[in-house]
Amino acid sequence: MATTNAPPAGTKPPAGTKNAGRPPARARVRTGQSRRRRNAITAWLFALPFVLIFGVFMLGPLLSSFLMSFTDFTSRDIENPFAVGFVGLEQYAALFRNPQFLHSVLNTAYFVVVGIPLTTILALALAVALNNGISRFRTAFRVGFYTPVVTSIVAVAVVWRFILQPDGLLNVILGWVGIAGPDWLNSTTWSMPALIMMAVWRNLGTLMIIFLAGLQAVPGDILEAAEVDGANAWQRFMKITLPMLRPTLLLGTVLLSVGFLQFFEEPFVMTKGGPLDSTLSVSYFTYNQFGFGKYGLASAASYVLFVAIALLSLLQFRALRSKD
Amino acid sequence: MTIPDTSPLDAAAPAATTPGTEAAAVVRGTAPAGTNTTGGSPQGSNARRRSGRRAPARRTLTYAVLVVGVSATLLPFVWMFLGAFKTQGELLRRPITWWPEQPTLENFSSWFNELQIGTFFLNSVVVAVFTVLGNLLFCSMVGYALAKMDFPGKRFLFLLVMVMLMVPGVVTFVPLFVMVSKLGLVSTYPALILPFLAAPMGVFLMRQFIMGIPDSLIEAARIDGAGELRTFLRIVMPLCGPPLATLGILTFLGSWNNFLWPLVVAQSEEMYTLPVALSLYSTGQNATDYGLLLAGSVLIITPIILLFVALQRYFIQGVAATGIK
């Protein structure tokens, strides 16, 4: 901040600014400040529409949800929200005593832990295939793999429900290779694998595009040099491409995990969380508690999910920073 | 929490201005097949020449993997489109049939005649259009302030935006619903639109791009006497075509496919958006009318697929740049 009237000792005044004819320093500083203030007001005016919407519809609800998770707020309290009782950590305690919630946590973890590696490996294989030696139909392949990403989950879930019938398309195809497929969506064992299969199908394209961008940044001359030195394709991939791709891999998988943690539409449309809660996710549990009018409990459950997602995102930032 | 110096979006800004970045490479790669614009990147053409010359077997294998993969990916869509023209009897018959034996439009006509799909369609379009317009305007305004102006609270504002990026919808919808119902806005357009008018992701995208616009350009406009508003409208916005296109497309996609909030807040049938209508019909009394449900899926998906095929390079650029769906 330029608050001193005289230039600091040891520095010459800039050329062209002789003391003679110069306005008093104090006045100059004041105009500087008022201009700064005017600029600040302009800047905040530019930010105003966003800040208003953001504050009212995101930040406000985020904080209210946090406060709500310490109360016994129910749908009946909508009339008079300020009269609800503060219950401290009781909602969180109730959450971790609730077998259905614990079940939903395990289901969500199952979904993430199985779904993410599967998607990652398949997407990497496809990205490498697209990056190497394919010049024709490249765009067509890219569009093809990406199509499920742009479509509404609800719409494709309807189709998958049809495909996953006991005598549906998937089991017919499995029958060609001699496998008797299960009644996917009515089996507690197979309902989750079925939803994972669908999620992998749907998210492959996103990850593939991210990996493709990473692959195209691997310098060709290093690969060339390794090839001259006698490294085969597999060695080049394992020793050069994969290490250089690590930040991209990490970014892609973390972004996907954040999405997977919010798993809701698939079980909502396909299984209603069943059979026997085998596909009930944390988001779905929250939605159900909201439906029962238990807003306090729903908020606590959503905050548990939020903390998990925030931790993952921080991991992502950390990973990106260590890239430099 | 600290803000990382690099972000996936840093690639977004130079993508439109300087070729040779990751995102730019992806964008070039998405040019129509046959124009072979990727020939510009040396490693790409080398790799291709290498494998083409020395390993025809590997090349065949690569194509085989891709063809099988893409067929498996697209099969559900083919199945959906074919099924939408089958009669309920044919859909339930076993063994399954591939091609509709007696193609019928009845599944579609019941959406139009009995289920007022026009209303749902209109709702989806209105919500998407206003959401897109709001985001384009508000996100670029705040993006400009964050990128090119100095003001107290700037770092804090940016930090907040970054934090809100990772807030899942499920965290805010309960209090949001309480607020909307207190205001008497349940089942209205404002309730469907307002919460999505200013997405943190859009702010991030616009800020990253506008930071790449040379300061000298903006200084010159200011010296010529242009106010901030004029500088913004005449200098900054015209340069922002690429990120605005990306943001517009991603916002439209997000709005068109958005589900949880419309499901919660659109409580009367005339305010349903397309996904809400489909999900409620598919889990209600029409749950086993597969023909109807498949036709509904076709009706929701077709506009977005047509848009995607027409603008696919921008969609893919958006994903490569932001790393989000």
Side-chain angles (χ1 to χ4, degrees):
Chain A
M1 291 285 151
T3 45
T4 46
N5 291 345
T11 52
K12 282 182 199 163
T17 52
K18 296 265 162 58
N19 272 343
R22 187 168 144 187
R26 192 180 296 269
R28 257 198 5 257
V29 169
R30 207 174 306 127
T31 20
Q33 274 174 347
S34 74
R35 179 194 289 160
R36 251 203 305 282
R37 184 184 299 159
R38 216 176 47 232
N39 286 349
I41 291 171
T42 315
W44 276 106
L45 283 177
F46 268 85
L48 190 66
F50 173 81
V51 169
L52 278 180
I53 294 164
F54 181 78
V56 175
F57 294 101
M58 292 191 80
L59 203 57
L62 182 69
L63 297 176
S64 331
S65 173
F66 185 67
L67 294 178
M68 228 184 245
S69 72
F70 297 106
T71 68
D72 54 8
F73 204 115
T74 65
S75 47
R76 268 177 255 149
D77 298 314
I78 287 191
E79 290 308 316
N80 194 2
F82 295 101
V84 296
F86 178 79
V87 296
L89 290 169
E90 178 46 40
Q91 298 289 11
Y92 289 92
L95 215 48
F96 286 99
R97 280 196 308 263
N98 186 326
Q100 221 186 12
F101 177 72
L102 297 176
H103 207 137
S104 76
V105 170
L106 286 180
N107 287 339
T108 307
Y110 179 15
F111 183 71
V112 173
V113 168
V114 177
I116 297 294
L118 256 180
T119 318
T120 308
I121 292 168
L122 282 172
L124 187 60
L126 291 174
V128 168
L130 259 182
N131 196 44
N132 286 341
I134 295 290
S135 50
R136 299 163 79 195
F137 313 118
R138 207 183 164 113
T139 307
F141 280 125
R142 209 193 301 253
V143 169
F145 284 117
Y146 197 70
T147 305
V149 181
V150 300
T151 50
S152 153
I153 304 189
V154 175
V156 294
V158 163
V159 181
W160 274 84
R161 214 174 74 192
F162 183 52
I163 289 175
L164 291 168
Q165 286 178 322
D167 45 8
L169 181 64
L170 180 66
N171 283 350
V172 168
I173 291 172
L174 286 175
W176 294 344
V177 288
I179 298 172
D183 182 357
W184 295 94
L185 298 178
N186 287 315
S187 149
T188 49
T189 316
W190 292 105
S191 55
M192 205 49 149
L195 295 196
I196 291 173
M197 190 166 23
M198 184 190 144
V200 170
W201 169 81
R202 213 184 109 77
N203 290 287
L204 207 53
T206 313
L207 219 50
M208 189 193 78
I209 297 296
I210 295 175
F211 290 168
L212 203 51
L215 280 173
Q216 295 191 334
V218 175
D221 44 358
I222 299 184
L223 293 171
E224 203 90 7
E227 193 182 3
V228 171
D229 289 345
N232 64 34
W234 179 248
Q235 287 168 328
R236 287 199 302 272
F237 178 73
M238 293 304 285
K239 294 278 160 77
I240 299 169
T241 309
L242 210 52
M244 296 196 79
L245 209 60
R246 230 193 55 179
T248 314
L249 278 172
L250 204 58
L251 167 73
T253 50
V254 171
L255 284 169
L256 202 60
S257 313
V258 169
F260 270 39
L261 279 171
Q262 299 179 45
F263 183 47
F264 173 72
E265 284 95 337
E266 295 93 334
F268 185 86
V269 177
M270 292 168 74
T271 58
K272 285 269 147 205
L276 295 174
D277 290 342
S278 61
T279 55
L280 187 78
S281 66
V282 177
S283 288
Y284 204 155
F285 177 85
T286 304
Y287 175 81
N288 278 345
Q289 298 308 314
F290 167 79
F292 301 148
K294 294 181 179 172
Y295 293 176
L297 195 66
S299 297
S302 72
Y303 253 87
V304 171
L305 192 65
F306 179 37
V307 168
I309 288 172
L311 286 177
L312 253 171
S313 306
L314 286 178
L315 191 78
Q316 172 202 337
F317 289 144
R318 178 84 36 98
L320 275 170
R321 209 170 359 163
S322 64
K323 192 168 85 170
D324 308 319
Chain B
M1 207 201 84
T2 51
I3 302 303
D5 289 325
T6 58
S7 66
L9 269 158
D10 280 339
T17 47
T18 47
T21 61
E22 296 178 23
V26 172
V27 176
R28 284 204 312 279
T30 56
T35 52
N36 192 19
T37 43
T38 39
S41 68
Q43 74 268 28
S45 56
N46 277 344
R48 223 171 298 137
R49 206 170 330 130
R50 208 164 45 228
S51 55
R53 195 170 59 234
R54 296 195 194 155
R58 207 171 88 212
R59 195 189 165 91
T60 312
L61 184 71
T62 306
Y63 270 109
V65 166
L66 289 172
V67 168
V68 169
V70 92
S71 310
T73 306
L74 295 180
L75 187 62
F77 292 109
V78 175
W79 192 241
M80 175 196 309
F81 279 90
L82 291 178
F85 294 98
K86 290 176 188 166
T87 60
Q88 177 75 354
E90 187 179 354
L91 285 166
L92 294 177
R93 195 178 329 135
R94 296 294 178 265
I96 59 168
T97 54
W98 289 93
W99 205 255
E101 282 168 359
Q102 295 156 318
T104 170
L105 288 173
E106 201 184 318
N107 299 319
F108 292 97
S109 63
S110 31
W111 276 99
F112 287 99
N113 299 336
E114 292 148 42
L115 301 172
Q116 319 145 18
I117 198 172
T119 312
F120 311 141
F121 196 88
L122 181 74
N123 290 341
S124 277
V125 169
V126 168
V127 171
V129 165
F130 279 98
T131 307
V132 168
L133 291 179
N135 272 284
L136 293 187
L137 183 63
F138 301 149
C139 293
S140 53
M141 281 170 69
V142 68
Y144 175 55
L146 284 172
K148 295 294 181 194
M149 295 183 196
D150 226 356
F151 57 96
K154 175 174 158 172
R155 286 182 63 87
F156 179 70
L157 181 61
F158 186 62
L159 185 86
L160 265 183
V161 172
M162 294 293 296
V163 172
M164 294 309 284
L165 266 176
M166 58 177 107
V167 176
V170 76
V171 176
T172 51
F173 87 85
V174 178
L176 209 49
F177 180 79
V178 173
M179 182 168 81
V180 162
S181 54
K182 283 291 278 184
L183 294 172
L185 290 176
V186 172
S187 293
T188 61
Y189 282 130
L192 285 166
I193 296 166
L194 281 169
F196 302 97
L197 273 186
M201 185 274 293
V203 176
F204 197 26
L205 185 78
M206 295 312 297
R207 171 190 175 265
Q208 296 305 107
F209 184 87
I210 294 172
M211 287 211 321
I213 296 176
D215 281 337
S216 52
L217 209 59
I218 287 161
E219 284 303 321
R222 285 176 188 160
I223 287 166
D224 287 347
E228 288 293 348
L229 191 63
R230 187 188 284 257
T231 311
F232 173 69
L233 290 175
R234 293 290 171 81
I235 309 289
V236 176
M237 286 301 264
L239 290 171
C240 281
L244 287 174
T246 302
L247 179 59
I249 285 163
L250 290 179
T251 308
F252 186 87
L253 181 65
S255 178
W256 192 261
N257 294 337
N258 190 20
F259 182 63
L260 179 59
W261 178 245
L263 178 71
V264 168
V265 85
Q267 295 194 338
S268 64
E269 195 164 322
E270 64 270 25
M271 287 309 295
Y272 288 171
T273 56
L274 287 169
V276 174
L278 182 64
S279 88
L280 294 182
Y281 289 129
S282 78
T283 52
Q285 56 191 11
N286 296 306
T288 49
D289 192 345
Y290 277 105
L292 183 75
L293 299 180
L294 292 176
S297 297
V298 168
L299 290 172
I300 294 186
I301 284 178
T302 304
I304 203 88
I305 288 196
L306 290 178
L307 195 72
F308 169 57
V309 170
L311 302 173
Q312 51 92 9
R313 70 158 69 190
Y314 298 103
F315 273 90
I316 289 170
Q317 176 187 357
V319 170
T322 63
I324 54 116
K325 306 184 250 185

